[in-house]
Amino acid sequence: MTKLVGAAILAVVIVLAGAGAFVFSGVYDVGADTPHWTLTRKIIEIVRDRAIAVRANDIQVPDLTGEQLILKGAGQYAAMCADCHLAPGKSESEIRPGLYPKPPKLSEHPIDPKTVFWVTKHGLKMSGMPAWGLGHDDETLWSIVAFVGKLPGMSAQQYKDIVAKAPPDEEMESMDRGDGHTHGGHQEHNADPSNEAGPKPRHHH
């Protein structure tokens, strides 16, 4: 029995020593332009997905069908999310190629509202996804969720039109409405979805 315990302790020590040597060697490339090893990526994805599912499970989803809520979400999305998650008719942006992992294209497939809300509010470590809840109330975040739910199947023109109708917001006085004009009355950038280069990113997301 003593030999077994000793062998187990030795094995643990060897594993810890090996792990320590690996960490301090700097051999693992953490650059965003170098993908994770396949095993590393799969482990991270499982940990991420399970963590989100557990924490989002008890979230109560409010009514997301209100027109004003969706319009508000359109403006928020254009200002905060489109550079990374793109918009209908837009295939790339200036910041997106340098992000790893790649943010999902939210116009391509529906995502559970609870998941969208939790991730938008709390962000994701080491992904470029910020915790928007630190500077925005839940009502604003739910407006984004409501709009994201409308993205799949939306055309580039429909996106442009709904963003142009988005109400003014104190937090987005300089946001481009999608028609080349900003809420603050001056042009900051071109948010036309047909512009493949995309707008200059105002937030790191």
Side-chain angles (χ1 to χ4, degrees):
M1 183 67 178
T2 303
K3 290 183 178 181
L4 288 176
V5 173
I9 293 175
L10 179 61
V12 170
V13 170
I14 292 174
V15 169
L16 291 177
F22 172 77
V23 170
F24 284 100
S25 72
V27 67
Y28 192 80
D29 189 348
V30 297
D33 54 353
T34 302
H36 286 304
W37 294 338
T38 301
L39 179 60
T40 304
R41 177 179 55 79
K42 289 183 177 180
I43 291 174
I44 291 174
E45 289 175 350
I46 292 172
V47 171
R48 178 199 64 199
D49 293 347
R50 287 301 304 148
I52 295 172
V54 168
R55 288 160 179 77
N57 184 58
D58 294 329
I59 292 176
Q60 299 299 312
V61 180
D63 181 9
L64 302 177
T65 61
E67 181 179 358
Q68 291 305 309
L69 184 70
I70 295 171
L71 284 175
K72 178 178 180 178
Q76 299 288 336
Y77 184 90
M80 295 158 52
C81 313
D83 282 329
C84 296
H85 295 285
L86 302 181
K90 187 175 179 182
S91 61
E92 199 53 272
S93 70
E94 183 174 356
I95 191 174
R96 186 178 168 84
L99 293 176
Y100 183 81
K102 279 284 187 290
K105 296 181 180 180
L106 298 180
S107 64
E108 293 191 348
H109 53 81
I111 301 178
D112 174 56
K114 294 182 179 181
T115 297
V116 177
F117 178 81
W118 192 92
V119 173
T120 303
K121 182 170 184 174
H122 299 286
L124 292 172
K125 291 181 176 71
M126 300 180 73
S127 71
M129 176 65 198
W132 290 113
L134 295 178
H136 300 76
D137 58 27
D138 283 2
E139 180 183 358
T140 298
L141 300 181
W142 278 119
S143 75
I144 296 173
V145 177
F147 178 70
V148 167
K150 299 294 183 181
L151 277 175
M154 183 181 293
S155 69
Q157 186 59 50
Q158 288 172 327
Y159 175 81
K160 182 177 179 179
D161 290 344
I162 194 171
V163 170
K165 296 176 183 176
D169 190 295
E170 292 180 358
E171 299 171 354
M172 301 186 301
E173 284 301 312
S174 63
M175 187 201 80
D176 193 314
R177 295 170 61 97
D179 56 5
H181 298 84
T182 61
H183 286 305
H186 64 278
Q187 184 167 339
E188 183 180 56
H189 56 248
N190 180 11
D192 188 336
S194 65
N195 181 0
E196 294 299 321
K200 299 294 183 183
R202 190 165 64 88
H203 301 281
H204 182 77
H205 180 193

